[in-house]
Amino acid sequence: DEVIDMELRPLLQWLAATVSAALTDEGGAPPDSDSEVLAAFDGWRPRVGETVVRGPHWNCGSQDGSYDGSPVEGVITEVLGGGWCKVRWSDHAYSYRCGADHSFDVQPAALRVDSALPPAVAAIEEALDVSLQVLRKRLTDTGFTLCLKVVWIACVSVLETCLRDDMTGNIVTVKRAQDLLGRLRAYVHADGDGLRETLLDESSLALTKTIQASLL
């Protein structure tokens, strides 16, 4: 209880404010580093049969079947020329930019694109790294898992509140919420070493539906 009071409670209070800030123009707009992003695609020539995922310029909602930003793989079925290609997801296909207008809606599944994070999002991940490392050392496995659940549910709750109270209908805010939810999900899932995907799905179902409805 003492560890949780000293480490977790202040983190939750700070997260409440910073998650909200991540949806604003100031906290949600990443630094202008598009040239660094584009450099990662030097030499890429899309080919039929290649596996792809969402790219850095994705603005196509849930066409790939992902409603929380988590990676979903598709396959290139046709290279259309002019920097466009057709991708088939689970049961449908759409055309995407793969170089047109210096933009990439999709990218090779194996490609790592280290784009600059929005300031509030970067701050959230840094704070979680520091605080959770302390908690990991001081708590049992069960206690640490409980802390991860509390952090995840707290962030989901803040996002739900922000979207419910936002009267502007700004699609940019919704997309930022979607992106942040995806990053947080990946963080606490930790490639299987953290929270179970079923728990993440169940606890964020209402928020996912809100985001999905807003993007339609």
Side-chain angles (χ1 to χ4, degrees):
D1 289 344
E2 182 180 351
V3 172
I4 290 176
D5 191 61
M6 290 179 60
E7 300 293 340
L8 186 57
R9 200 178 307 278
L11 174 63
L12 294 177
Q13 293 171 345
W14 181 84
L15 280 173
T18 312
V19 168
S20 299
L23 306 185
T24 67
D25 287 339
E26 182 177 349
D32 184 11
S33 60
D34 210 39
S35 59
E36 297 178 11
V37 173
L38 294 177
F41 291 89
D42 284 349
W44 181 44
R45 298 293 181 269
R47 66 184 188 279
V48 173
E50 186 173 9
T51 302
V52 295
V53 294
R54 293 184 183 187
H57 305 112
W58 177 269
N59 61 357
C60 306
S62 57
Q63 284 184 357
D64 59 351
S66 175
Y67 299 105
D68 59 9
S70 57
V72 172
E73 293 186 348
V75 177
I76 295 178
T77 59
E78 185 178 356
V79 177
L80 303 173
W84 287 82
C85 65
K86 180 172 286 187
V87 176
R88 173 163 291 280
W89 305 105
S90 59
D91 57 0
H92 48 264
Y94 299 97
S95 297
Y96 299 100
R97 296 172 297 178
C98 53
D101 303 322
H102 303 291
S103 298
F104 294 85
D105 297 321
V106 294
Q107 68 180 54
L111 180 65
R112 302 286 298 187
V113 180
D114 297 321
S115 56
L117 290 176
V121 177
I124 289 170
E125 293 194 351
E126 290 171 6
L128 288 175
D129 281 342
V130 173
S131 298
L132 293 179
Q133 283 178 15
V134 172
L135 290 167
R136 173 71 279 187
K137 292 177 181 178
R138 297 184 181 181
L139 296 174
T140 64
D141 290 346
T142 301
F144 182 69
T145 298
L146 177 60
C147 284
L148 275 183
K149 290 180 182 178
V150 171
V151 167
W152 165 251
I153 292 173
C155 291
V156 169
S157 178
V158 173
L159 287 172
E160 287 177 339
T161 300
C162 289
L163 293 186
R164 184 180 66 245
D165 294 345
D166 179 25
M167 305 301 292
T168 65
N170 189 344
I171 196 67
V172 174
T173 300
V174 178
K175 286 184 176 180
R176 285 174 181 162
Q178 181 184 45
D179 291 342
L180 181 54
L181 181 66
R183 293 197 67 88
L184 289 170
R185 178 192 175 94
Y187 189 97
V188 298
H189 179 57
D191 293 326
D193 292 331
L195 301 182
R196 293 178 292 105
E197 287 189 342
T198 52
L199 184 150
L200 298 174
D201 289 338
E202 293 169 359
S203 54
S204 62
L205 181 59
L207 176 57
T208 300
K209 288 183 176 179
T210 296
I211 292 174
Q212 179 183 356
S214 300
L215 292 176
L216 292 178

